[in-house]
Amino acid sequence: MEFVIALLVSLFTVSTTRGQDSDGGESHCFSFPGDTFLQFDFNNFNNSNDIYFSLKFKTRESNSVLLYSRGSGTHYDDEAVFIRNGKVGYHLFNTSPTGVEGYFGAFFIGNELVNTNEWVTLHVYRMYRDVNSRQRRVHPKTGFAVEIQGVRHEYVDHLVRTDISLSNSIFIGGYSQPLSSTIKRFVGQIRDIREHSNGLAFETPTLNFMASVQTFCSEDSEVEPN
């Protein structure tokens, strides 16, 4: 009986250790083999408003999708967070209301290699209300920041963008169609995915494509592509 109790305690300890993030909070972690993706849909969530996503990831891949969303109906806006040549990139395509004035998008590529199989923290901003303490005013922030071994690197601007129209479906690790000839579906682990403006945690996906994404991560093993 004592052996059974000890075994249960051991199993519970392993389970909760994998479920904790580095800050001690609960974290949902997903392992991607490279041929699949997750889709999350939220009620009472306007993805066209000011947004602040955060997540942690680790991978060895040089070109892959981290997060993607797109417009619905006749709207062709889209947003992608990806890794290209081992560095994080952010793309926002925001068409004008009439479609003839051009677009008011954004494009950033970081300088730091992130395909090192070490955990990287990523912050993604879109028209997020950033407080400037020196000027004592709020201005929008669009772009991203990466934290690598405790050092933060930020790539943002403070331009005003209007009429952004994106659906409430958020895709993690890929999409049903290739985003480009080089950017592939993600291979590795992604955890602690959140949207802070609306207080959302990405825990239960609407779609686990091909049921291939594992809903746990192991610190002791790497995810290998199929």
Side-chain angles (χ1 to χ4, degrees):
M1 184 66 176
E2 292 180 356
F3 172 77
V4 173
I5 293 174
L7 179 61
L8 290 174
V9 170
S10 176
L11 290 174
F12 178 76
T13 301
V14 171
S15 176
T16 53
T17 299
R18 290 181 179 176
Q20 298 284 326
D21 65 19
S22 59
D23 300 323
E26 291 298 320
S27 170
H28 284 72
C29 194
F30 305 98
S31 298
F32 294 79
D35 62 351
T36 187
F37 60 89
L38 296 177
Q39 177 180 336
F40 292 85
D41 296 281
F42 297 100
N43 295 324
N44 302 319
F45 166 53
N46 188 345
N47 191 27
S48 300
N49 285 345
D50 57 295
I51 293 296
Y52 168 21
F53 294 109
S54 70
L55 56 86
K56 298 179 177 70
F57 71 89
K58 69 174 181 177
T59 185
R60 291 190 184 278
E61 295 299 302
S62 299
N63 300 281
S64 56
V65 180
L66 290 167
L67 182 149
Y68 180 69
S69 61
R70 64 179 303 168
S72 58
T74 59
H75 297 282
Y76 298 100
D77 295 355
D78 70 349
E79 178 178 60
V81 186
F82 55 91
I83 301 171
R84 189 176 75 179
N85 298 326
K87 301 174 182 180
V88 172
Y90 173 78
H91 154 93
L92 173 66
F93 186 83
N94 174 215
T95 57
S96 62
T98 65
V100 296
E101 295 100 338
Y103 73 97
F104 307 95
F107 186 80
F108 300 92
I109 292 287
N111 294 318
E112 297 74 30
L113 290 175
V114 296
N115 59 334
T116 58
N117 202 44
E118 299 292 335
W119 285 108
V120 174
T121 300
L122 175 64
H123 307 269
V124 180
Y125 309 99
R126 185 197 336 121
M127 291 295 294
Y128 187 67
R129 291 166 291 179
D130 186 33
V131 179
N132 188 313
S133 57
R134 289 182 297 176
Q135 298 179 359
R136 296 183 179 180
R137 65 185 182 90
V138 177
H139 56 179
K141 177 164 67 174
T142 298
F144 71 89
V146 290
E147 295 178 13
I148 304 172
Q149 296 182 345
V151 179
R152 181 184 177 95
H153 310 270
E154 191 168 82
Y155 302 88
V156 300
D157 67 29
H158 300 285
L159 302 178
V160 176
R161 295 172 174 87
T162 59
D163 300 303
I164 297 171
S165 180
L166 295 168
S167 74
N168 287 2
S169 296
I170 309 296
F171 300 90
I172 303 295
Y175 185 57
S176 58
Q177 303 170 3
L179 299 188
S180 76
S181 60
T182 56
I183 306 300
K184 304 176 182 179
R185 290 173 179 167
F186 184 78
V187 180
Q189 301 177 355
I190 303 178
R191 67 186 295 181
D192 199 18
I193 312 167
R194 305 182 188 277
E195 198 291 300
H196 297 266
S197 293
N198 294 276
L200 299 176
F202 289 59
E203 299 174 347
T204 305
T206 308
L207 171 66
N208 182 345
F209 182 65
M210 297 174 57
S212 297
V213 179
Q214 298 177 1
T215 55
F216 67 90
C217 299
S218 172
E219 296 291 345
D220 301 321
S221 62
E222 299 179 19
V223 176
E224 299 292 342
N226 289 338

